[in-house]
Structure formats: structure tokens, C-alpha cells
Amino acid sequence: LNARTSSAANEPRSFSWKDDRWVLPFLSRYKKTLLLALTLGVATISFAVGLMFTSGYLIAGSAEMPYSVLLLSTPLLFVRLFVVGKPVLQYFERLTSHDWVLRITSILRKKLYLSFDENGIFFSSTYRLGDALGLVAEDIGHIQNLYLRTVLPAVIAWTSGLALTIVLGCYTWWIGIAFGAVILIELVVVPAVSVSINGIRQERAKQLTRELYAHTTDNLLGIYDWKLSGRRDEYLRLCDEQIEALTSLRNEGHRFDRGRDLAVSIAFILGALLIIVWSTWYFQGTADSSSNWILAFTLGYFPLIDAITPLPNAAVEARGHRDALARLNDLPQPCEERKTTGDSRNVERFAPFDIELDHVRFAYPDAPATMLLDNVSLTIPPGQHIAILGKSGAGKSTLASLVRGDIDPASGTVRIGSGSAGELGSCASAVFGVIQQSTYLFNTTLRDNLLIGRADATDEELEAALDSVGLHALRMRLPRSLDTLVDEAGLRFSGGERHRIALARILLQDAPIVILDEPTVGLDPLTEHDVITEILDHLEGKTVLMITHHLMGVSRMDRVIYLKEGSIEFDGVPDELEQTNDFYRALLALDRGSNLTA
């Protein structure tokens, strides 16, 4: 993952529910399970209300010492029913709702990982490693909480409050209106105030958490630089300051929550007093049974607090989740999803995979005055092999990032086939193969590392790929062949062997365009020559862009492009350039001399 950061990655993004691909489309997924969870939630509150209602009636009736205990048999029966039914319904409601949410979350996690292509292209320029960790560890959790702590409780609270308002309104119209006003205060006004005051604070806390992820990750990866520069104490101070700021913000939020909860309790007590006043007036003429109904309605109101209390926090969390939703909706749409939804932007539309850059200019947002590429126009037909030369900072890697669609040009267009490079998204892994300076092998089996190229490859195809890149002898001497563990970062193998394994992955991937980003750095001249020769031999017929400082293998390329300060200094066939371009001849002489010296 590239550590370079674009400021655009941390800027707040606009979010619109009509364009949402991460919440609304999944509300209808497993809709029967969702409907069952909501029904069980409302039934749980109803049984709690029923239990308190019949208990109040039973308590008042028992206090009046009825002439026959049989008059209390019906309330006793309902009390038993509600006592047994409420925990059972609550258990199955929690079981069903969590089952639904976990099913959805598993789908979302798969969708998230499909948005990250195998070559890490998505993170190459706009995200740091900490940002990636924030997406994986935080944002999916936010959506899970949005479903579990906001959507479901809100529906249950509104349904329960509306039902109780209607019931009271059926007795007396004015109590229905008055009680409805109390419910609106608790379900609308208090959550709205919480969002306006504490929502901004919580959003800031989430932003600080993301920054803490990014800064901590970057600083830990560069801990040796801090120590070698004698700035260890400064590093610890920066970490402490970030943690203290986050802790202070959260403490302010907790203080507000306590005050808000007190206000909710006061409003709830006012609702209880309203019911007491109404029931006393309404049942005043019912002789000795008036106290039964007064106590029954009063106690029957109290279980509603279980449905109302979570709403303010849920509203605040929902506002805080908008930022996570914006980042997730900003991810490229996975190839699988594009095909299943009938999206025409699939890989086939880009064939025959010719590349064209038309007056392209690019600068990073945090340094708009520094043009890394300035008015570059370039056409690369399918199957052509091109070497891209230039000093460090000349724009070679930026050019490759634009071609892959990692970044968008400030002006001009980058086209792959008949579509824009930016439209590739995560499908870029099906179009581009990349061999980088340092080939990374995961600490698992050789088979699993090769399957990154093509997940459905058979063992025979894996062995053939290894043999074709000159690793037959290596495969035969491995203790468990393809099942051999490669050790951390592939340290079991030499640099040349790791590059050949990377080439085998590319062959399995069968991508039409291959980018070689300094593929032989750190190799001795003989190994470098052998690796370059094998790579170019096996990539015959594919478009190859080789970014390099060395001129090893350049004579075998169809074209050589030299970048200088973001512009194309020269572009031509190697043999012709050697005859006509003095600067290219000087580069060749210098490179051959360095090789001879080595």
C-alpha cells in the first residue's frame, strides 16, 4: 500500500440516499426475516405493556378485597401469559434481528473486499494504510450499528408509540392528541436536539479516530526513522495529544448524554402524570372499579420507556454513520456487482485494450502548483512493449497510475479501449497485471500465493506456470511442492525467484496489459538479465509498460519514452534513438559502463 496521501481522501464527501448502494438495497434482502424481527420487537413491547397493565389491574383489584377471588382469575391468567411470553418473544426478537444483521454484514464485508482489487490499485494514491484499516475495521461496523441500533429500534418505537396513542385516542380524543404530543417530543424533538448538538461532536470524534488510525499506522511503520532521528519523545507526545483530544471530545459527549437522558425522563414522567389525570377523570364514574383502571393504564405506560430511551442515541449515531456511508459509497463498484446488475461498464467493453492519453495534466490536490505531468499525449496500440525512462520524480509512476485509473487527470483524458480508465474501478485487476520492485509473498503456501493470479486455477496449471518461468527445479526440491509455506514476505526464496513467482501469477492472471515497475531492482546484473528476458518472452503479444532506470532489456522494446519534468522529452524506436539521439546514446553508455563496473 502506498503511503502517499491525497487530501481528497480526508475531505468530507457529500452523501445522498438516492445513490446509496450500502444500506437501502439491503433492507429488502431477507425481508421475511426483517419483518419477523420487527413483528417480534413490537410484540415484545406489547407483552411488556400488557404485563404491566394487567398487573396494575390485579394489584388494585386485590387491594379492594373482592368478595370472590374468582373475579381475579382472568387477570391472573393474563399475567402468567405475559410473564412467560415477554422474555420468550424478546429472546427470539434478538436472535432474529441479529441473525438478519449478521447476514447483511457478511454480504457487505464481501462487497467491501471485492472493491479492493488484488493489486492494491485502489489504495495506491488516495488512501494510506490507516485509512484502509479504518474502512475495514470501522465503517462496516458503523453500518451494522445503523441497522441494529437505529433502524430496528426506531421502527419499533414509532410503531409502539403510535399504537398506544391510537388506543388512548379511542377513549378520549383530547388525551390522544395530548399523549401524541408527548410522544412527538420524545421521538422527534429530543432526537433532533441530540443530533444538532451531540451529532457534530460525535462526527468530530469519528474523524479523530480515523486520523488516529492513519497517523498511528504511519508512525509505527516509520518508528525506526523516529528513533534514528532522536525524536522518540516527540512521537510519544504526538500520540498522547491525539488520544487526549479524542478522550476530551468523548467526555463532552457523555456529559451531554446524561443531561439529555434526564430531560427524556422528565418528559416521560409528564406523560405518566397526564395518563393519571386523564384516567382519574375518565373512570371517575365507574364506582369501585375506577382505581383498577387508573393503576392499569398508568403502569401500562411505563414499558414504553424501553422503546423510547434508545432513540436519541440512535439518531446521533445515524448522523455519524453518514460519513462512513459516504466513504463506502465512494468505493469502486465490484466487477461481480457490475455484471449482476447489468452495468455495461464491464471488462469486455475496454477491448482491444489500446491506451490513449490526450493532453493529460496532473497535480496532487495538496500541491496543485506542481504539475507531475504536463500536457502529455500518448497512444499505445495493443501488444506494444514500451520502456518508460526518466529521473526520479519525472512522472513515470504517475503516468502508470493514470493508465490504471487509480487517479483522475486534472485535465485531458485517459482512455482504455472505448472507455475512460477511471471507469475500470476494481475491474482493473482483470485488465492490468503488475510486477513491482519488491514482490510480496504472503506467509502461506506457494499454492495460495499463486492463486492470487487466478483463484480457479488447477494444480496442473499452477505447476505449468512455475515450470514455464524456469522454476521447475525449485518446485521439485521444495519439501511439500505447492503446499510448502513460503515464510514471511517470501524470505524462503531469493529475489530472482520471487520475481519469477510474480511472473507466474501474471501468466495465470492473463491480463492484457502488464506494468513492470522497476521489476529488477536489487538483482545482480546476470539475474536481472535472465529475469527481464523471461518476462518479455512470456509477455509476447501483451501490452507491456516497463518503468525503469536501468536500460537492461530496453533494446527488446518496441518504443522508448523518456519523461523529463512531466513532459515527454523523446519517444522512438530503440535502434533509431541509438543512431539519432545523443542523450539516449549517453544513457546507454552510462548504463553499460555501470554494469561493467558492477
Side-chain angles (χ1 to χ4, degrees):
L1 300 181
N2 198 320
R4 180 171 44 189
T5 305
S6 169
S7 61
N10 296 319
E11 293 177 356
R13 298 178 174 88
S14 59
F15 172 71
S16 174
W17 283 107
K18 68 178 181 179
D19 300 323
D20 173 58
R21 293 183 284 111
W22 289 81
V23 173
L24 296 181
F26 295 96
L27 289 177
S28 60
R29 188 77 65 97
Y30 307 116
K31 56 186 175 182
K32 292 183 179 179
T33 307
L34 175 60
L35 183 60
L36 178 60
L38 294 173
T39 303
L40 289 172
V42 174
T44 301
I45 297 295
S46 301
F47 267 56
V49 170
L51 175 61
M52 296 300 289
F53 184 90
T54 53
S55 297
Y57 187 90
L58 184 61
I59 292 170
S62 301
E64 292 178 354
M65 299 179 65
Y67 61 86
S68 175
V69 74
L70 294 177
L71 294 175
L72 301 177
S73 60
T74 301
L76 281 169
L77 177 63
F78 276 102
V79 166
R80 291 172 181 172
L81 174 64
F82 292 136
V83 164
V84 175
K86 178 183 176 296
V88 172
L89 287 172
Q90 186 173 31
Y91 171 78
F92 282 105
E93 182 270 330
R94 296 292 172 85
L95 187 67
T96 306
S97 61
H98 281 71
D99 175 66
W100 181 82
V101 168
L102 291 175
R103 286 171 184 261
I104 297 301
T105 302
S106 66
I107 296 172
L108 293 177
R109 289 196 184 279
K110 179 181 177 181
K111 180 176 179 177
L112 176 64
Y113 294 137
L114 288 175
S115 297
F116 305 159
D117 62 79
E118 293 87 344
N119 296 316
I121 289 175
F122 172 67
F123 290 117
S124 62
S125 58
T126 58
Y127 279 80
R128 290 182 293 183
L129 180 57
D131 297 318
L133 293 176
L135 275 167
V136 175
E138 290 279 320
D139 290 345
I140 292 297
H142 290 328
I143 291 190
Q144 179 175 309
N145 291 335
L146 179 65
Y147 285 124
L148 203 57
R149 300 181 185 176
T150 303
V151 176
L152 298 180
V155 173
I156 293 171
W158 273 97
T159 304
S160 304
L162 181 62
L164 193 53
T165 301
I166 292 173
V167 169
L168 292 175
C170 291
Y171 282 91
T172 308
W173 65 269
W174 62 264
I175 187 61
I177 295 176
F179 188 76
V182 173
I183 291 298
L184 283 175
I185 290 174
E186 293 178 327
L187 297 184
V188 176
V189 176
V190 175
V193 172
S194 297
V195 168
S196 63
I197 296 177
N198 219 26
I200 297 175
R201 187 179 290 123
Q202 188 178 71
E203 189 171 322
R204 175 57 182 160
K206 291 181 183 296
Q207 182 181 353
L208 285 176
T209 302
R210 292 196 308 273
E211 292 175 359
L212 191 60
Y213 265 114
H215 293 161
T216 302
T217 305
D218 288 346
N219 288 333
L220 285 176
L221 291 175
I223 189 66
Y224 289 111
D225 294 335
W226 285 99
K227 293 177 68 175
L228 290 173
S229 62
R231 300 171 63 190
R232 175 179 175 274
D233 293 338
E234 181 181 350
Y235 162 69
L236 295 176
R237 180 178 56 80
L238 288 173
C239 292
D240 289 340
E241 288 176 355
Q242 289 177 321
I243 295 172
E244 287 175 6
L246 183 59
T247 303
S248 175
L249 201 60
R250 286 175 174 171
N251 288 338
E252 291 177 9
H254 292 328
R255 284 193 294 271
F256 174 83
D257 289 342
R258 290 192 291 269
R260 181 205 59 212
D261 292 342
L262 177 61
V264 170
S265 300
I266 292 173
F268 194 83
I269 291 172
L270 291 177
L273 293 174
L274 181 63
I275 290 181
I276 292 173
V277 171
W278 165 78
S279 58
T280 302
W281 169 82
Y282 187 83
F283 295 104
Q284 187 175 10
T286 57
D288 57 351
S289 63
S290 61
S291 61
N292 299 28
W293 296 108
I294 294 171
L295 190 58
F297 274 94
T298 303
L299 292 183
Y301 164 69
F302 277 91
L304 197 62
I305 196 170
D306 292 334
I308 292 175
T309 303
L311 260 294
N313 269 332
V316 173
E317 287 193 12
R319 187 186 191 282
H321 296 330
R322 288 176 63 89
D323 189 48
L325 288 171
R327 285 194 304 277
L328 289 168
N329 278 285
D330 196 54
L331 291 173
Q333 195 174 8
C335 289
E336 291 184 8
E337 188 171 309
R338 293 181 182 184
K339 294 177 181 178
T340 55
T341 56
D343 194 334
S344 62
R345 295 178 300 171
N346 49 45
V347 174
E348 288 74 16
R349 71 165 288 194
F350 295 92
F353 306 107
D354 55 311
I355 302 171
E356 181 179 358
L357 285 78
D358 184 19
H359 296 91
V360 169
R361 304 177 80 238
F362 179 81
Y364 283 107
D366 52 357
T370 305
M371 281 292 165
L372 298 181
L373 289 178
D374 191 4
N375 199 31
V376 171
S377 295
L378 181 64
T379 300
I380 304 174
Q384 192 170 71
H385 290 192
I386 294 182
I388 302 176
L389 308 178
K391 297 180 179 179
S392 297
K396 303 186 298 299
S397 296
T398 302
L399 177 64
S401 296
L402 285 164
V403 170
R404 290 196 305 259
D406 302 352
I407 51 180
D408 296 322
S411 63
T413 58
V414 182
R415 183 180 58 80
I416 306 294
S418 59
S420 169
E423 295 178 355
L424 280 167
S426 61
C427 296
S429 60
V431 177
F432 293 98
V434 180
I435 299 180
Q436 297 177 327
Q437 298 178 14
S438 178
T439 299
Y440 189 87
L441 300 180
F442 293 93
N443 188 19
T444 181
T445 64
L446 179 59
R447 174 188 287 104
D448 290 338
N449 276 280
L450 290 171
L451 288 175
I452 294 174
R454 182 158 59 87
D456 60 351
T458 64
D459 284 0
E460 290 75 14
E461 291 172 323
L462 299 180
E463 292 172 354
L466 289 173
D467 294 348
S468 67
V469 296
L471 292 180
H472 174 76
L474 169 70
R475 179 173 65 82
M476 297 304 294
R477 72 169 182 265
L478 290 176
R480 300 183 63 188
S481 188
L482 294 176
D483 292 318
T484 302
L485 292 175
V486 303
D487 295 338
E488 188 68 37
L491 296 179
R492 171 185 287 270
F493 305 115
S494 67
E497 290 169 340
R498 289 198 295 272
H499 279 82
R500 287 183 172 91
I501 292 173
L503 176 58
R505 282 200 300 220
I506 294 296
L507 297 179
L508 290 166
Q509 183 183 354
D510 196 25
I513 303 174
V514 178
I515 296 176
L516 309 176
D517 189 356
E518 297 285 355
T520 57
V521 168
L523 300 182
D524 63 85
L526 292 178
T527 304
E528 180 183 13
H529 175 271
D530 293 341
V531 169
I532 286 292
T533 300
E534 289 175 0
I535 288 176
L536 296 180
D537 286 344
H538 286 89
L539 297 181
E540 192 68 34
K542 298 183 182 295
T543 303
V544 176
L545 279 67
M546 185 170 73
I547 299 170
T548 182
H549 290 92
H550 271 297
L551 272 66
M552 179 73 72
V554 169
S555 61
R556 295 190 50 185
M557 309 301 282
D558 299 316
R559 288 167 65 187
V560 173
I561 295 174
Y562 187 86
L563 291 178
K564 182 179 180 181
E565 298 179 356
S567 299
I568 296 178
E569 180 76 5
F570 59 79
D571 177 0
V573 178
D575 292 341
E576 295 178 358
L577 289 173
E578 190 172 359
Q579 298 297 324
T580 61
N581 191 296
D582 293 337
F583 183 75
Y584 182 73
R585 280 200 302 271
L587 287 178
L588 283 176
L590 183 63
D591 189 73
R592 290 166 181 168
S594 63
N595 286 340
L596 289 172
T597 302

